[in-house]
Amino acid sequence: MKLALVGDIGGTNARFALWNNGQIKSVKTLAAADFASPELAIGHYLSSLGLAPDTLSNLCLGCAGPVSGENFRFTNNHWTLNRTAFRQALELDNLLLINDFTAMALGMTRLRESERIQICPGAAESGSPSLVIGPGTGLGVSTLLPDDKDQWRVLSGEGGHVDLPIGSLREAALWQQLFGELGHVRAEDILSGSGLTRLYRSICALDKHVPQLSTPAEISAAALAGDPVAEEVLSLFCIWLGRVTGNNVLTMGTRGGVYIVGGVIPRFATFFQSSGFADSLCSKGSMSHYLKGVPVWLVTAEYPGLEGAGVALQQMLESASNFPGR
């Protein structure tokens, strides 16, 4: 029997699952660093299920980085991929590569109410696009658009690499500190797991504290325990995320709602709910009214990227069956 496989490959982890009857099955998470190539990781995944590589027919991978052309280099890990060689190696009938945040955005179409937490109240504007944004190994940003054929389209980009916006004198001072270290300060340089550590070091340097913490997990735990420096790190992180999110809502008109995804925020979800995120999201001067009432949810679903890769694969196969000559 020929199988369909979906993957969600980020900078750190590669998640794989079988896609069967519109559902993900047999999910496994592998460390990208443990494999020299995605082909080897997929071979290991199939072997762990007692399956041979030639049992695959269709494959969709959500990949960290801009997806175009014959050759693809993953962002934030060492993997590369040549479409033709990859397809031949796995004997695939169909290979679909999409940006990992395209997959993440499509995953929002399958959320249950129990898999999201309301952060900002409001009513989603019917027919309007939605924003999907999330700090993880990097900062992903995508726009989800409904169409008139009961399908979904995604505008993917590299929004995590926009310039970090400044909204206060304190932020300006920290930006100068960061600029001295990095030269060019992107949103992702702060709004990511490693960004928490970078922001902590910058605050310590600016205020002449001796750093005591070295990992995002330590910083989050210390902040929740009341450490004032770590608490400012989380507070500014949430404020900056609100500022970047608000800029994206204004740019793309995403009044269909905002989905906060990724592995960072759920570690301090209660703190995030009462943080300055909501105020900084709406603090846009004469356009502040535009953002009030835009609903924001924190997504707690376990595998939205895999679900979205399945949606993308299913839409592609349905389109091919409807237009077999294409």
Side-chain angles (χ1 to χ4, degrees):
M1 182 180 67
K2 289 291 189 176
L3 299 173
L5 185 144
V6 293
D8 175 22
I9 302 175
T12 304
N13 294 316
R15 298 175 180 87
F16 298 107
L18 300 179
W19 180 255
N20 185 18
N21 293 324
Q23 302 293 327
I24 56 173
K25 311 282 186 182
S26 304
V27 176
K28 292 186 182 294
T29 301
L30 306 176
D34 290 345
F35 300 91
S37 69
E39 293 95 325
L40 291 174
I42 290 170
H44 177 87
Y45 168 78
L46 292 172
S47 176
S48 73
L49 300 178
L51 300 170
D54 62 6
T55 58
L56 279 185
S57 177
N58 303 303
L59 172 60
C60 176
L61 294 181
C63 309
V67 179
S68 64
E70 179 73 0
N71 297 301
F72 178 79
R73 178 175 295 277
F74 290 80
T75 300
N76 297 326
N77 78 35
H78 63 285
W79 285 356
T80 60
L81 183 153
N82 174 273
R83 289 176 189 262
T84 299
F86 184 86
R87 184 172 172 176
Q88 290 174 348
L90 296 177
E91 301 180 33
L92 297 171
D93 294 327
N94 296 292
L95 169 64
L96 178 61
L97 298 183
I98 59 176
N99 178 265
D100 62 332
F101 251 72
T102 296
M104 186 68 75
L106 289 170
M108 300 304 99
T109 68
R110 295 172 61 89
L111 282 184
R112 304 176 183 90
E113 281 298 321
S114 61
E115 295 177 322
R116 64 184 190 181
I117 300 168
Q118 186 99 54
I119 301 299
C120 299
E125 191 174 274
S126 178
S128 292
S130 300
L131 175 69
V132 184
I133 183 169
T137 303
L139 176 65
V141 183
S142 279
T143 304
L144 179 67
L145 302 97
D147 67 16
D148 57 0
K149 299 176 183 176
D150 295 323
Q151 290 199 335
W152 299 87
R153 293 182 295 128
V154 177
L155 298 180
S156 60
E158 293 298 319
H161 297 271
V162 300
D163 297 337
L164 185 70
I166 307 302
S168 71
L169 293 176
R170 177 65 166 171
E171 291 174 24
L174 284 167
W175 183 90
Q176 285 186 304
Q177 183 73 33
L178 291 161
F179 181 79
E181 174 190 346
L182 301 171
H184 176 233
V185 188
R186 308 166 301 168
E188 182 173 280
D189 292 326
I190 293 299
L191 299 176
S192 59
S194 60
L196 275 172
T197 307
R198 182 176 288 112
L199 181 55
Y200 173 76
R201 291 199 311 264
S202 296
I203 288 175
C204 288
L206 187 64
D207 296 342
K208 296 181 171 48
H209 298 306
V210 177
Q212 303 292 324
L213 309 169
S214 57
T215 68
E218 289 176 356
I219 294 165
S220 299
L224 299 180
D227 179 276
V229 178
E231 194 170 345
E232 186 185 11
V233 171
L234 282 203
S235 178
L236 282 170
F237 187 96
C238 296
I239 288 169
W240 252 315
L241 181 59
R243 212 178 298 293
V244 171
T245 300
N247 286 351
N248 277 280
V249 173
L250 287 176
T251 300
M252 301 305 298
T254 52
R255 294 173 59 82
V258 175
Y259 296 90
I260 307 291
V261 298
V264 174
I265 301 296
R267 297 174 190 164
F268 48 88
T270 301
F271 183 98
F272 183 68
Q273 286 178 282
S274 59
S275 73
F277 169 85
D279 286 342
S280 63
L281 169 74
C282 296
S283 183
K284 298 298 180 187
S286 63
M287 289 304 294
S288 295
H289 68 280
Y290 185 87
L291 293 108
K292 294 187 186 301
V294 174
V296 179
W297 300 279
L298 174 61
V299 174
T300 59
E302 195 168 12
Y303 302 115
L306 287 175
E307 296 274 8
V311 172
L313 182 60
Q314 188 165 305
Q315 289 190 164
M316 182 196 74
L317 295 175
E318 288 174 354
S319 177
S321 66
N322 290 334
F323 300 97
R326 291 177 60 182

